[in-house]
Amino acid sequence: MKHIFQQGTDPKVPVLVLFHGTGGTERDLLPLAGSISPGSSVLSVRGNVLENGMPRFFRRLAEGVFDEQDLVFRTKELYGFLNQAAAEYKFDRGNLVAIGYSNGANIAASLLFHYSDALRGAILHHPMVPRRGIALPDLSGISCFIGAGRHDPICAPEETEELAGLLERAGASVSVHWEAGGHQLTGTEVAAAAAWFASVYA
């Protein structure tokens, strides 16, 4: 998978794994990583799927309707890539925190839905529920931050609450931060994510 790896200055803090939104690239969220954990190593990944020329992490059938078969395949592919990257760049595979926005948050959530050991934690900016009707793995010890908009036209507040509930029932610790606006990523939401990260991983 096309990606960027940047070696951090503090080997004790989690490695940040970045997943962009639809139409983004592996460079989009690099400033976000610097705001949230300046000392972290960073692995930023580009989605392997193209939709009208725009990179994504999995296919969709329509707005808000995921191609579930492709989602499962791409999630497995990404899990394998994280294993390979840990070996190649010699970072601690068990100390990864994902940061994802929109489609990137959805693939990060899918990693949590399918693997108990994919991530140590996740910052999910405006995610949706990746799959319904499946049993989640034991997510005890995993911490998640969810950033959401009260008037998000893509991800309704009820969807945010449903995702938080599913993760909590699987054992994860979940903190939800609400913004008054829509699907955009704001400075106050990033600041809240940074404060959450510092409180959990400092």
Side-chain angles (χ1 to χ4, degrees), residues 50-63:
L50 287 178
E51 178 182 276
N52 300 321
M54 299 185 296
R56 281 176 55 87
F57 286 96
F58 57 89
R59 288 196 296 266
R60 59 184 169 182
L61 306 176
E63 181 74 60

Side-chain angles (χ1 to χ4, degrees), residues 127-145:
M128 297 173 68
V129 177
R131 291 185 73 194
R132 292 179 170 88
I134 65 167
L136 271 62
D138 181 4
L139 300 179
S140 301
I142 291 174
S143 297
C144 297
F145 172 96

Side-chain angles (χ1 to χ4, degrees), residues 29-52:
L29 300 187
L30 292 175
L32 204 61
S35 298
I36 289 172
S37 181
S40 286
S41 294
V42 175
L43 177 67
S44 190
V45 187
R46 182 186 295 192
N48 260 357
V49 172
L50 287 178
E51 178 182 276
N52 300 321

Side-chain angles (χ1 to χ4, degrees), residues 2-164:
K2 192 169 178 59
H3 66 280
I4 294 170
F5 180 76
Q6 295 179 343
Q7 184 67 49
T9 56
D10 187 348
K12 297 187 297 296
V13 294
V15 176
L16 300 181
V17 189
L18 310 183
F19 304 119
H20 60 78
T22 299
T25 74
E26 64 278 14
R27 298 197 171 275
D28 282 21
L29 300 187
L30 292 175
L32 204 61
S35 298
I36 289 172
S37 181
S40 286
S41 294
V42 175
L43 177 67
S44 190
V45 187
R46 182 186 295 192
N48 260 357
V49 172
L50 287 178
E51 178 182 276
N52 300 321
M54 299 185 296
R56 281 176 55 87
F57 286 96
F58 57 89
R59 288 196 296 266
R60 59 184 169 182
L61 306 176
E63 181 74 60
V65 183
F66 301 161
D67 182 332
E68 225 173 272
Q69 187 175 352
D70 191 61
L71 172 62
V72 172
F73 173 79
R74 299 296 174 183
T75 303
K76 183 178 180 181
E77 178 183 57
L78 185 56
Y79 181 82
F81 169 76
L82 294 177
N83 293 340
Q84 293 167 5
E88 180 179 351
Y89 297 114
K90 298 179 172 55
F91 58 75
D92 181 357
R93 177 65 183 85
N95 197 22
L96 304 186
V97 172
I99 302 177
Y101 167 64
S102 194
N103 178 244
N106 295 337
I107 196 69
S110 185
L111 282 168
L112 295 171
F113 269 48
H114 292 93
Y115 299 100
S116 62
D117 61 348
L119 301 167
R120 183 179 171 194
I123 294 173
L124 307 173
H125 293 291
H126 302 260
M128 297 173 68
V129 177
R131 291 185 73 194
R132 292 179 170 88
I134 65 167
L136 271 62
D138 181 4
L139 300 179
S140 301
I142 291 174
S143 297
C144 297
F145 172 96
I146 298 176
R150 291 284 184 194
H151 299 95
D152 192 329
I154 296 172
C155 176
E158 295 79 14
E159 180 123 11
T160 300
E161 289 160 359
E162 180 186 355
L163 176 60

